[in-house]
Amino acid sequence: VDSSGRMLLGTTNAVAFGSRQVLAVANGTTGGVISLYNSTTATANTRISSNPTGSEINDIGIHAASTNGSIIAYTNNDTERLRIDSSGRLLVGTTTQGTAAADDLTVASTGHTGITIRSGASSSATLMFADGTSGSETYRAQVGYDHSSDSMNFTTSGGFERMRLDSSGRVGIGTTSPV
């Protein structure tokens, strides 16, 4: 325990995160590990809580074998809000992934559901489709919205605009200036 009241394990040098750090765990150059577990059963759910009253509000759950290694975040007294499952899929508002062709991100609710992409008033918001990690492979197709012109565009073949819907509702196919 140092003069600031921080507990340091495996180190005498605490990497500070402002005034919030209380515990530092280090192991040379390989990194420190904090192991939390129930010694009587491997299926118990370990949690890290930010609530000093001991209730489960604002918990982060890190589940063991009972949920196949998922990382789960909770709010509102143990209500699951998001999960990264053992396959790396992100599930928001659900514990069930989508269809196999589109299961990497699943967002669900019992009412209206959607995803918001927010950008600046004079900027663009874009959903990209890629088939590689360099050059035009990173933007083979896209659906974009340009806030400065209030227009939506669709591109294919590495970024070539194929269709535009302008702010007046005009559709241009093969042109960026619908008439």
Side-chain angles (χ1 to χ4, degrees), residues 40-166:
T40 60
T41 175
T43 61
N45 299 324
T46 299
R47 296 183 182 197
I48 302 169
S49 178
S50 64
N51 190 333
T53 66
S55 69
E56 295 176 342
I57 298 173
N58 300 322
D59 283 0
I60 299 171
I62 303 169
H63 285 246
S66 64
T67 55
N68 300 316
S70 296
I71 297 172
I72 301 171
Y74 299 89
T75 60
N76 299 330
N77 292 323
D78 208 26
T79 302
E80 182 176 326
R81 298 298 183 187
L82 99 85
R83 168 186 301 233
I84 301 173
D85 72 10
S86 61
S87 296
R89 297 176 292 220
L90 177 58
L91 311 174
V92 180
T94 184
T95 59
T96 306
Q97 71 277 2
T99 184
D103 66 351
D104 298 308
L105 169 63
T106 302
V107 179
S109 75
T110 58
H112 301 294
T113 302
I115 298 173
T116 298
I117 301 174
R118 183 174 290 122
S119 61
S122 61
S123 299
S124 297
T126 307
L127 178 60
M128 296 282 198
F129 301 89
D131 61 5
T133 59
S134 65
S136 66
E137 294 172 347
T138 62
Y139 56 89
R140 296 303 300 161
Q142 70 182 22
V143 176
Y145 189 82
D146 184 344
H147 291 284
S148 61
S149 65
D150 282 331
S151 63
M152 180 165 275
N153 61 67
F154 300 84
T155 69
T156 62
S157 300
F160 295 101
E161 187 170 317
R162 304 299 187 189
M163 186 172 84
R164 178 179 292 228
L165 176 62
D166 73 10

